[in-house]
Structure formats: structure tokens, C-alpha cells
Amino acid sequence: MSELYPGLPPPPPPPEPLPAASVILWRDGPRGREIFWVRRGAPLRFAGGFQAFPGGKVDQGDARVPVAGASGEAAAAIAAAARELFEEAGVLVAGWARGLARAEREAARRRILSGELDFGAFVSRHGLTLDASDYLPAGRWVTPALYPLRFDARFFLVRLPEGEEPAVWPGELAAGEWVTTAEALGGWERGEVLLHPPTLWPIQCLDRAGPPACLEAMRAPPHVEGFSPRRIEFQRGLFLVPLRTPTLPPAVHTACYLLDVGGGVAVVDPGSPWPEEQAALLRVLGDLAAEGLPAREIWITHAHADHVGAVEALRTRLGLPLRAHPDAAARLPAGAGQAGPVADGELLGGRWRALHTPGHARGHLAFHDERSGALLAGDLVSTLSTIVVDPPEGHMATYLGSLARIRGLGPRTIYPAHGPPAPDAAAKVDEYLEHRRAREDRVLAATRGGTLEEVTARAYDDTPRFLHGVAARSCLASLHKLRDEGRVREDGGRWMRAG
């Protein structure tokens, strides 16, 4: 990702959220109140690698499943919740479900998962009944607009029926287990598991009180507008505020992270130049200040416009000191003012190690939390697309060296400036390194006496034509690397193999 290039078409509007349903399955276990959560497989488009509750989108057939005590959208959501709970965890909350033999249940589950059997037909055939009283409404959440896949999800609190026991089969889900609410929150506190607000908030509510006392709080979470959270605390003390920015598609947001630095927060990459987005950020900062975490400093990963657009406004409004690498500070807009220097390896806020990681931009910094393994990667990595390396500021060999450096740190989770977090940080960096190696091979193969535009057209023939102007910048960075290695040469604006 990079700053917005002129001539590109405007980004598409945020996708409409899909109706969905999710089940908070709970029981009073031998160790206390427990919830059943699943871990979504890393390759999944939405929340891969995160802990979540069983659930998924509402299918057309769900509207045809009768639900006692409910009708319309509410009934369809309950039917979807019941189906997803059965598909993902093998738990059937539908009247006389205990009368079904295990082999018959498992065979039906396999056929429903494969699409051979309709869930409604299965329920009808066996005389089962879905009852709304078994599915207690426990909140509604809409995925924020920064995600490429969005859901409008209704959550239901369901007590594990007697005789039922969940079992996750390999597939979309990597695992499933019972945990106490205290264990779940402890893993989140340490950064060992990642939770979206629709998972975190119900666990926090259940940890404080069991049903029915917890339900009112579940249905009215704080810091939410239009069912979407204003801030996302993926792990304790690491908040995301997505801000719309003039950035390179497919991204339309730059992540502004707020880091707990002990008695306050550091604001990392307040990037939006637009007043309405700045107002949203200020509101979140006001909420945190009221909770005892006032804004203390601004840190920037680098000086590209989509990362520093709100720096001047924040400094004017809150009087915050600014920290940046000296090479980035030299590129800041005049209104941003002076920045205090950050040295490579400096420990900020008592826990965040600043790492000089140039290649995409001069003076680029990443911030590594050595306690939890979290890495704020800035524009080293995106989980939406690849990063543009644009000469002369961008330098491919330097960029690859920066990737290798963070790979060697063994971070647990990468928090990029564009796109959702990557819980398997090492795999994501390896993916980037392999992509660059493969793209370099294509650039080398395409270098046969052509102009930069001709080499780009051949090496990036898998990229939409309207992006070739942007791709040409990374192509040029690869050609410069190959030239420095003595593998290609340039003659009169044409690139060819050396020797």
C-alpha cells in the first residue's frame, strides 16, 4: 500500500453487510462459567486465526425453518444460529434432539455441510422444533466499513442442553474448546488470542454475571454507533480506530492505533485529513481519557500523507508531542511542527521497541511489543494487497531486508496500517517474501529489451491494467535491485539482461 496515485478510479463503496447469526454457547462447568469458542482457520477471508463463537451468514433456506415464538428476520436468524451451531460444533438445540442416534446425527451433519441435505428438511423429517426461548437475544453487531467482507450479525446466548457435547471437525475451523471466561480474558490480556468486539464483550459480560443478569449489558455494549464499534481492542491496551484516508485502493482506511503506554495512550499514525474522521478519532480519545487513558504522544511509522493527515489537527487540539525517525521527520508537512527523534532500537512507552525498517519509505518505523509479540508494521505489510515500493524513496533490497528483520524477531501478530491483523505473523511475512521472490523472477523473465512500461505489462499481466501505472513503480524497484546485482542493465530507457 502507499499514498493515493493520480488517475486511479475512486474506491468502491463499502460492501453491504450480510445478515448473520452467532451462538454464545455456555455452561456452568467444574471450573466455573465456561463458553465454547472456536478458532477460525487462518486462510479464511474474515477473522482468520481469531477466536470466535460458532456462526455464519443467514442462508435463504433459513427463512423457511419454523421457529416457535419468532417470525420474520428474527426467526431466520434463530434458524441460522441453530444450523451454524450444528454444522460447526455438532450441537443440536431443537426440541427432542436427544432422540437421534449419534451415527444418524453425524451423517446428517456431514450431508448438511456438503449441501446434500437442507437443514430445514432435516428438522422437519425428525419432528424437531426450534424454540425462540432457547435462543436468548444477546446483541447485534455490524462489521466496520474497513473490512472487505461485512456482516450484520445477531448473537444468541444458548445454554448447552443436557446430553449435548460440541465437537469441531477439521475444515474452516481450526479448533474448538471450552474455556472459562477468566481463561479467555487472560489469553486476550496477554495477546495470546485475538478477539473482535462481538466476542470480547459477551465474554466480559458473562465473566461478571451469569444469565439472565448479563443479557441487558450484552445487548447494550459501550462505544458503539449503529451496531458498529468506534474502537476495536484486539488485545488488552491495543486499540484500532479505522480512519478513512486518501490511500491506495483496495484500502480506503488507514489504521490509527492507540497504544497503552502506562497511564495514557500513544496515537500511532493519525492519518486522515478530513474533519469528520478527525472528530471520530477525538471522540475515541475522549472516551479513553474518561477511562484514565489520556493521549500522551503521537508516533508515526512514516511520513506518507495517509499516515500523517491528522497530526497537525491533533497537535493543535491536544498539544501532543510528536515522535518520528529523523528521516521521516524531515518529510513532514510544515504544519505538523517539529518531531522528537526516535532511534532504532529505542524503547517507547516502557514496552514498544522502535525498529527502523526502511524500504517502502525513508525513516519507516515498526513498533514491537516484546511482552505480547504484537508488531505494528505500518506499511511494511498489508493484509489487503501488496506494498508499493516506489523509487527513489522506495528501495527493494532495503525493503526485503526490513521484512527479513521483522521475521527474525518472531512476532506473534502483525497489525498493519491497511487491513485486519495477521495472527500468524511469521507466515504472513514468509508469504510476502515469497511473493517478492516470485515477482522478481517474473520481472527478470520479462526483461528483454523493453521499456519500463513494456516490462511491467509482461511481468504484471496478472494485475488489472488500470493498476499498471502503480505496478510500474514496484517493477522499477525490482529492476534497480537486479541492476545492482549485475543481472540486468538499462540502455537509453530500455531494460535488458546483462551480459
Side-chain angles (χ1 to χ4, degrees):
M1 307 305 299
S2 189
E3 296 172 301
L4 186 61
Y5 281 69
L8 290 176
E16 286 297 315
L18 302 171
S22 195
V23 173
I24 307 162
L25 188 67
W26 75 283
R27 71 181 183 187
D28 283 320
R31 298 173 298 145
R33 196 172 300 118
E34 297 178 333
I35 52 100
F36 186 79
W37 67 9
V38 297
R39 188 171 79 252
R40 296 176 59 78
L44 291 178
R45 289 181 62 202
F46 184 82
F50 277 66
Q51 300 295 137
F53 299 124
K57 67 183 182 67
V58 177
D59 290 342
Q60 288 185 348
D62 295 326
R64 299 191 294 269
V65 181
V67 178
S71 61
E73 291 182 357
I78 290 173
R83 175 181 52 76
E84 290 285 344
L85 183 61
F86 185 50
E87 290 179 353
E88 294 193 344
V91 172
L92 191 55
V93 183
W96 297 99
R98 282 178 291 168
L100 292 177
R102 177 177 296 275
E104 190 173 12
R105 287 165 57 114
E106 292 186 351
R109 183 182 175 190
R110 288 192 179 89
R111 293 182 64 202
I112 291 170
L113 283 167
S114 68
E116 299 174 38
L117 176 63
D118 179 77
F119 179 72
F122 164 70
V123 168
S124 176
R125 180 181 305 167
H126 293 282
L128 304 176
T129 302
L130 300 186
D131 194 319
S133 64
D134 293 325
Y135 296 82
L136 304 180
R140 180 179 175 185
W141 296 82
V142 175
T143 310
L146 81 156
Y147 284 88
L149 184 61
R150 303 176 65 211
F151 296 98
D152 181 349
R154 297 173 187 262
F155 282 68
F156 299 95
L157 186 63
V158 175
R159 185 165 192 160
L160 180 73
E162 183 181 348
E164 296 286 330
E165 185 58 40
V168 169
W169 289 350
E172 288 189 357
L173 302 180
E177 62 179 341
W178 288 105
V179 293
T180 66
T181 54
E183 289 170 339
L185 294 176
W188 170 77
E189 292 263 2
R190 296 185 296 272
E192 296 169 357
V193 298
L194 301 185
L195 303 177
H196 282 294
T199 309
L200 172 62
W201 178 246
I203 295 174
Q204 290 175 323
C205 292
L206 273 169
D207 189 60
R208 292 192 287 265
C214 63
L215 284 168
E216 183 176 354
M218 283 185 180
R219 296 166 187 163
H223 316 303
V224 168
E225 294 175 354
F227 304 110
S228 287
R230 292 197 296 270
R231 71 192 200 204
I232 302 171
E233 193 174 9
F234 290 114
Q235 62 182 68
R236 170 66 79 183
L238 192 157
F239 303 89
L240 163 66
V241 183
L243 301 176
R244 288 189 308 107
T245 60
T247 191
L248 185 63
V252 293
H253 295 79
T254 298
C256 177
Y257 290 104
L258 311 178
L259 307 181
D260 186 344
V261 292
V265 294
V267 183
V268 182
D269 285 355
S272 182
W274 298 316
E276 65 274 17
E277 295 297 299
Q278 295 171 3
L281 174 58
L282 285 166
R283 182 171 181 184
V284 172
L285 290 174
D287 291 340
L288 289 173
E291 297 166 25
L293 289 174
R296 296 294 191 202
E297 292 185 320
I298 300 171
W299 305 347
I300 63 167
T301 60
H302 60 296
H304 285 169
D306 58 328
H307 291 254
V308 300
V311 167
E312 181 178 357
L314 280 189
R315 299 196 77 181
T316 299
R317 179 72 176 265
L318 302 178
L320 301 177
L322 174 64
R323 305 292 307 279
H325 188 276
D327 290 346
R331 290 200 62 216
L332 288 169
Q338 295 295 312
V342 177
D344 181 40
E346 185 175 345
L347 189 65
L348 302 179
R351 61 184 295 182
W352 293 92
R353 187 74 62 184
L355 306 170
H356 185 213
T357 47
H360 168 72
R362 294 191 185 103
H364 190 287
L365 293 174
F367 302 103
H368 183 222
D369 180 10
E370 295 173 338
R371 299 184 197 174
S372 71
L375 180 82
L376 267 66
D379 274 0
L380 272 180
V381 173
S382 166
T383 51
L384 293 178
S385 65
T386 57
I387 295 295
V388 176
V389 180
D390 186 358
E393 182 179 13
H395 189 271
M396 187 62 74
T398 303
Y399 173 69
L400 294 175
S402 292
L403 285 177
R405 182 185 184 188
I406 65 170
R407 176 65 173 85
L409 292 173
R412 174 181 279 127
T413 302
I414 285 179
Y415 292 92
H418 306 286
D424 190 345
K428 176 54 68 174
V429 177
D430 286 344
E431 175 189 318
Y432 255 66
L433 289 167
E434 173 57 25
H435 170 79
R436 289 297 181 185
R437 185 203 62 76
R439 185 64 73 183
E440 182 180 289
D441 288 346
R442 290 174 66 99
V443 170
L444 182 61
T447 304
R448 44 183 188 266
T451 64
L452 173 60
E453 290 72 22
E454 291 168 339
V455 174
T456 301
R458 291 192 288 263
Y460 286 81
D461 60 358
D462 57 343
T463 301
R465 292 285 302 180
F466 72 88
L467 288 174
H468 276 203
V470 178
R473 306 311 302 163
S474 287
C475 184
L476 181 60
S478 292
L479 287 169
H480 285 174
K481 176 177 179 292
L482 291 168
R483 180 193 60 194
D484 294 344
E485 295 169 351
R487 301 167 71 186
V488 305
R489 62 187 177 88
E490 182 187 13
D491 186 0
R494 303 188 71 81
W495 292 90
M496 58 203 72
R497 300 283 187 96

